[in-house]
Amino acid sequence: MAPQDLAGLAAAHLRRPGLVVLTGAPGAGRSTLLTRIAAAAPGPVHAGGGLAALAAMPALALSRAVKARLPAHDIPLLAEAVRSRVRTGLLVLDDLQHADPATLAALPLLATRIRVVAALRTPHRIPAATESALRAAATAWLHLTPLSPHDAADLARRTARHLTDEAVSAVVARAGGNPLAVTALARHAAAGRGTPGPGIDHVAYALAAALADLPRPARTALAALGLLGRPAPADLLGAGASALRDAGLIDDTDGAVAPVSVYLAETAAGLLDADARTELHRALASALPDAEAARHLAAAGDHAQAYRRALTAADRAAGNDRADLLQFACNLPGTATARVRVAAADALLAAGRPHAAAQILTTAAPLGVEADVLRGEALLQAGDPYAARSAVTAIPDAAAAPVVAARDRILLLTDLATDPRAARDTADKITARYPTPPPGVAAALAAVHAAHRTPGWEQRLAAAATAATDPLTARWSAWLLVEHLLADGRLPDAAHAARTAATTCGADLAYSWQTRFLAAAGWADVLHGHTPPGTDTIADNVVHHSTDLTDRALPADARAYATAATALVEADSGLLAAARARLATPDGHPATAWVAREAAWLDGQPDRAGGGEPAPAGGLLAGLHHITARWAAYDTGAGWHGDTPTGMPAAAHHTLTAWATGTGFTAAAHTWTSTVHREQIRCLIAAGLHDTDPHQAVDALLHAERLADAAGLVVLAGRARRGLRRHHVARDNRSPRSGTALTGREMEVLHLVAAGEPTRRIAGQLGISAETVDTHIRAGMRKLGARTRTEAAARALTRPTPADRFDQPADRFDHEDGR
C-alpha cells in the first residue's frame, strides 16, 4: 500500500481512541509517515519516542512526548499520567524498538483511552510476549511496503534533479523501493557526477544500527546476498533466511531468496570486518559453481585457486562467458601462461571485443608469433592499423604456414586502411603466393575487392562470411558486407545480411557481434522505411528493439546505430526533445552525427543543422549530410558555395544535382523510392518549393503530404502543409477520431513513451503488466488517429493533461513550421 494510502487508513483508525502501529524495514519511511499523520491530525500533537542510547531509562519515550517526568514504577499510574496530559490530542511515538519496558507496558492501557500512533522498525528486539500484547491492543498494525519503481524514480529525481534516466534506473534497481536507500544512492550518484552532495556514511550507520538487532545468522545471510549480488537458494543462506523473512528483508516468492533492497544487503556485507568477509567469500566459493567460486576466491585473496577454478569453468563455457572467464584469469595477480593469454585473446576477438584482446596480449615478455598475429588482428579491429602492422612485421616467413597466412592477411588489411591504392598491389602479390588462399586471406582479398567495388565483390564477401572454418573471419566479413551495402544505399540487402549474421552469432553465443548486426539492421530499416514481415510499423519495431539494445553494454558501432535509429524515428514523429536528449553526447559516429543535424533541421534550427561533425568521405551518409546541409542553407537564406561530392549512391547524387540547378527534384524523388523513403518525401517538398509551375508544385506537395502521413513522418507532413498554404491550399490533418478524449492512464503511458521509455520499463514504473501498457498505447493510437506509438506519443504531448479534465479542445498537431 502506498504511503499516502497508509496515512489515510491510519487517520481513519485514529478518529477515536486506539493504537495504530506502523512497521517497516530500516529506511522504509516510518518517521516520514508519522510526521504526515501528525500534521493532518486535529488537536494537539504530543511527539516522543525511544532512543537507542537510553533504552533502559524508564518511561523515557513517553516523557519526551508529554514533556514531563512520569511515575514509571507504576504502569497504571503512568498510563493515567500520560492520558491526563494528552486528552483529546494525538500521542506520537517513534522508534518503538528502542522504547523502555515501562512505555511498552503502558501502551495497551493507553490504547483504550487516547489516540496513539507509533512506529516500530523491523527487525527489533522487543520480547515476543510484549509484541503479542501490543498486537492484541492495536486497532491497526500497518506495514510499510517498498516504494513502487515509479515512486522510487520520482523520489530519486526530487533528491537529485540532474540525474540521467539511466542513473535513476540504476538507483531504483539497487534501492529496492527503500526510501532511505533511494535518497542516499541518488545523492551519491549526483556527487559522483560532480554535483555537490553529502556522503552516505550516516545512512550506512543508521542501517548498521538496525541490522545489529538481527540474529547473527540473519546478518551473515544478508551479507552473503550482498556479496553474491544475485538471488540465492534458501539452503545456501542457512538458518538466517527465516529470520530475514520474518523481518521483511527478503523476497522469496519465486523460489529463490532475494534482498528487498540490494543496497541494504551490500551495507550488511560492508559491515563485515576483513577476516569475516574473507571467511564468507571462502564459504560461498565452496558451495558455488566454478565460475562464481573463482570470483569469490579472488575476493578472498586466494588468487591461485581463483585462477584454477576460472580455467576449469572456461573449459565448459562458450562465447562471451568463456571470454569473460579467461580474461578474468589473465587479470589475476601472477603470471598467466602464454597459452592461456592466447586462448583468452582468441575468445575475446570471437566475442567482438578487440580492445580487451589487445590488452591481454600486451606484456613485457614476448608471447610468441601466434600471440603476435592475434594482437595484430585485435589492433586492426580496434581501429589502429599502424600498431597492427608493427605487431606482425617481425614475424618471419619461416614461421608456421597458418601464422604466415595470418600475418599476410593483417598486412593486406592495414594497407587497405592506410593506403587503398597500395592495397591493390599487395593483393596481387598475395594472390600469386596463395593459389588457394586460406579463409582468412580470402576474406582480406574480398575486402580489397569490396573497397574498390570490383564486380562480384558482394559474392566474395558473402562467401567469406559463411566460411565455417573461422568464425571470427566470418563475422568480420559479414560486418564489412553490411557496412558496404549501407554505404551503397542497398538498405534491404544490408538489413537482410545483418539479420542473417545476427542469427548465426546468437546461435554461437557471440552476443557482442549479434548486437552490432541487430543495430545495423534496425538502422537500415529506419532509413529504408521497410517493415520486416510479421512486425508492427517500422517506427514502433525499431524503437522497441533499438531502445532495448541501448539499455545494454554495447560495442561503439552497435550503440551508435541503435541510438541513431531511435533518435531519427523520434525526431520524424515530432518527439524532438526526446531525440535531442538521446543525441546530447556526441560519439563521433557518422550516423549519429547526421541524425543530430537532421533533428536540428526538423526542429526549425537550420543554423545548427549546417554545422557539427564533417561529412564522411563517401557513401550514403555522406550524401545525407550534404542534403541536410543544403536544406539548412535554403532555410537560412545563405548561399551555397560547395561542390557536389562524389562517391555517393545515385539517388543522393541526383538530389544534390537538383539542388545545384534548382530543377529536377521530382525526378530525384523517384530515385529514392527503393532507397530512403523519407528522402523521397523531402525531394517532393523541395519540388513544391522550387517548381515555378503552381500546379506541379501543389501536386508534389500533396504527394509528399500523403506519403508522410502514411509513414507517420509528422514533421515532414507539417512541412508539406506549410508549403501548401503558400499556394493557398488549406489542410486539416485531424483524424476523424482525434476528438476522443484520452483517459488519465492512457495519457500517462503515452507521456512515458514520449520520454523514450520502452514498454517493460513503463510497466515497472506504473506497476502494471506489459500487456496492459500495450493496450493503453493501442487505445491512444486509435483515439488520436496515429499510425505508430511514437506518433501517438507526440500527439499526446499537445493534448490537455488529465488534470485539465479535457475541458479545452485538443490542440492540432501540425508541426507546420517544422518545429
Side-chain angles (χ1 to χ4, degrees):
M1 185 178 293
Q4 58 268 28
D5 297 329
L6 278 178
L9 182 58
H13 284 294
L14 291 171
R15 290 173 183 165
R16 59 185 62 87
L19 169 64
V20 173
V21 179
L22 307 173
T23 69
R30 302 179 313 280
S31 299
T32 301
L33 186 56
L34 276 183
T35 302
R36 182 181 297 174
I37 293 170
V45 173
H46 302 269
L51 295 173
L54 300 174
M57 184 173 292
L60 174 67
L62 294 172
S63 296
R64 293 178 66 208
V66 298
K67 308 294 190 294
R69 295 184 64 181
L70 297 171
H73 61 282
D74 187 324
I75 301 303
L77 185 60
L78 170 63
E80 177 57 27
V82 173
R83 185 207 64 78
S84 66
R85 288 167 172 81
V86 175
R87 296 182 180 274
T88 59
L90 177 66
L91 177 63
V92 178
L93 297 177
D94 200 358
D95 290 327
L96 208 57
Q97 71 277 3
H98 298 316
D100 55 281
T103 295
L104 296 174
L107 283 178
L109 299 176
L110 289 170
T112 63
R113 310 290 299 277
I114 62 174
R115 298 178 300 143
V116 185
V117 59
L120 173 62
R121 189 203 66 210
T122 55
H124 57 73
R125 294 184 178 180
I126 294 177
T130 303
E131 182 181 352
S132 296
L134 289 173
R135 284 182 178 272
T139 309
W141 195 279
L142 306 177
H143 184 69
L144 274 77
T145 56
L147 297 175
S148 70
H150 179 269
D151 290 339
D154 181 63
L155 175 59
R157 291 188 178 95
R158 284 187 280 112
T159 302
R161 297 184 181 277
H162 302 296
L163 286 184
T164 64
D165 289 343
E166 183 178 1
V168 169
S169 297
V171 166
V172 171
R174 283 189 66 202
N178 185 287
L180 183 62
V182 171
T183 302
L185 291 170
R187 288 174 176 165
H188 188 60
R193 295 174 62 245
T195 304
I200 61 172
D201 289 348
H202 67 290
V203 178
Y205 179 81
L207 296 178
L211 294 176
D213 285 345
L214 287 170
R216 183 179 179 83
R219 294 199 302 272
T220 302
L222 189 60
L225 286 172
L227 294 179
L228 281 169
R230 64 167 178 83
D235 56 1
L236 180 64
L237 303 179
S242 59
L244 292 177
R245 187 182 299 108
D246 294 341
L249 297 178
I250 58 172
D251 178 10
D252 57 357
T253 54
D254 295 329
V257 176
V260 171
S261 169
V262 175
Y263 176 59
L264 189 59
E266 291 171 350
T267 300
L271 293 173
L272 297 173
D273 59 45
D275 291 340
R277 192 178 301 113
T278 296
E279 181 182 350
L280 185 53
H281 274 300
R282 287 186 180 277
L284 289 171
S286 67
L288 291 171
D290 288 322
E292 280 190 277
R295 300 186 186 279
H296 285 286
L297 287 167
D302 191 347
H303 300 128
Q305 279 290 345
Y307 180 78
R308 284 190 285 272
R309 296 289 290 270
L311 294 185
T312 302
D315 287 341
R316 296 192 294 266
N320 271 322
D321 291 339
R322 173 177 166 79
D324 285 338
L325 286 163
L326 290 173
Q327 183 184 23
F328 171 79
C330 290
N331 287 334
L332 287 170
T335 304
T337 66
R339 181 182 64 82
V340 170
R341 289 188 177 276
V342 168
D346 192 43
L348 288 164
L349 279 172
R353 295 154 63 184
H355 293 87
Q359 183 180 18
I360 288 293
L361 295 172
T362 303
T363 60
L367 298 174
V369 291
E370 187 179 353
D372 290 340
V373 293
L374 271 179
R375 184 166 178 268
E377 181 71 36
L379 291 167
L380 183 65
Q381 290 192 30
D384 192 348
Y386 296 102
R389 179 192 297 277
S390 176
V392 302
T393 299
I395 295 175
D397 291 340
V403 173
V404 174
R407 178 203 65 185
D408 291 343
R409 174 181 185 277
I410 294 167
L411 290 174
L412 175 57
L413 292 176
T414 56
D415 277 352
L416 182 61
T418 57
D419 188 354
R421 291 186 178 181
R424 278 186 161 178
D425 295 335
T426 306
D428 291 339
K429 296 174 184 177
I430 288 178
T431 301
R433 180 181 299 176
Y434 298 96
T436 304
V441 175
L445 292 169
V448 174
H449 288 296
H452 295 284
R453 297 302 191 271
T454 304
W457 67 267
E458 309 99 311
Q459 290 76 17
R460 289 187 176 93
L461 269 184
T466 55
T469 55
D470 183 359
L472 174 59
T473 299
R475 292 164 195 154
W476 176 82
S477 300
W479 183 249
L480 276 185
L481 176 61
V482 169
E483 291 226 297
H484 283 310
L485 291 172
L486 286 172
D488 287 357
R490 297 167 57 179
L491 302 177
D493 292 339
H496 175 73
R499 286 195 171 86
T500 300
T503 300
T504 303
C505 292
D508 293 340
L509 305 183
Y511 296 124
S512 181
W513 280 102
Q514 183 189 31
T515 57
R516 289 190 193 186
F517 287 115
L518 289 175
W523 172 243
D525 287 339
V526 165
L527 286 182
H528 181 51
H530 163 72
T531 304
T535 64
D536 297 328
T537 64
I538 178 58
D540 286 351
N541 180 64
V542 170
V543 167
H544 171 73
H545 291 292
S546 295
T547 304
D548 182 58
L549 281 175
T550 53
D551 279 346
R552 310 179 193 176
L554 295 178
D557 284 331
R559 181 167 296 279
Y561 279 133
T563 299
T566 306
L568 184 58
V569 170
E570 290 171 335
D572 276 337
S573 301
L575 299 179
L576 293 157
R580 285 196 303 271
R582 199 174 295 279
L583 297 164
T585 304
D587 58 15
H589 195 279
T592 51
W594 170 67
V595 174
R597 289 188 182 189
E598 184 68 7
W601 176 76
L602 291 169
D603 202 15
Q605 302 179 62
D607 52 324
R608 291 184 55 211
E613 297 287 334
L620 176 61
L621 278 174
L624 295 176
H625 269 268
H626 285 285
I627 291 168
T628 299
R630 294 306 297 262
W631 270 108
Y634 174 82
D635 286 352
T636 58
W640 180 263
H641 307 291
D643 297 328
T644 300
T646 58
M648 297 176 300
H653 180 76
H654 287 310
T655 302
L656 290 171
T657 300
W659 275 105
T661 61
T663 60
F665 284 106
T666 303
H670 291 301
T671 64
W672 287 109
T673 304
S674 60
T675 308
V676 182
H677 187 52
R678 66 186 306 283
E679 292 306 318
Q680 178 188 9
I681 296 169
R682 283 217 292 183
C683 274
L684 290 170
I685 295 172
L689 297 177
H690 287 83
D691 205 313
T692 56
D693 184 333
H695 294 292
Q696 292 183 0
V698 169
D699 286 344
L701 290 167
L702 289 172
H703 190 193
E705 182 194 33
R706 285 194 300 272
L707 292 177
D709 279 337
L713 303 179
V714 176
V715 185
L716 291 181
R719 183 86 185 215
R721 283 187 277 275
R722 176 184 173 187
L724 286 168
R725 281 198 302 276
R726 293 181 179 178
H727 292 279
H728 308 291
V729 178
R731 309 296 294 161
D732 187 347
N733 67 311
R734 288 177 294 183
S735 161
R737 289 179 284 196
S738 64
T740 306
L742 296 173
T743 66
R745 182 63 94 182
E746 289 163 358
M747 180 70 82
E748 190 174 18
V749 167
L750 290 174
H751 274 246
L752 288 170
V753 172
E757 300 284 11
T759 297
R760 58 182 174 76
R761 199 179 296 163
I762 295 173
Q765 289 187 31
L766 300 183
I768 57 180
S769 69
E771 291 76 14
T772 302
V773 172
D774 287 334
T775 298
H776 288 311
I777 291 172
R778 285 194 295 271
M781 290 170 60
R782 175 179 56 79
K783 292 178 180 181
L784 294 169
R787 184 170 177 267
T788 70
R789 59 185 275 154
T790 314
E791 182 184 351
R795 290 180 179 272
L797 291 179
T798 69
R799 291 297 181 99
T801 64
D804 298 328
R805 306 188 64 85
F806 299 96
D807 292 333
Q808 303 300 322
D811 295 341
R812 290 177 56 187
F813 188 84
D814 199 357
H815 283 282
E816 294 167 338
D817 298 318
R819 297 180 186 274

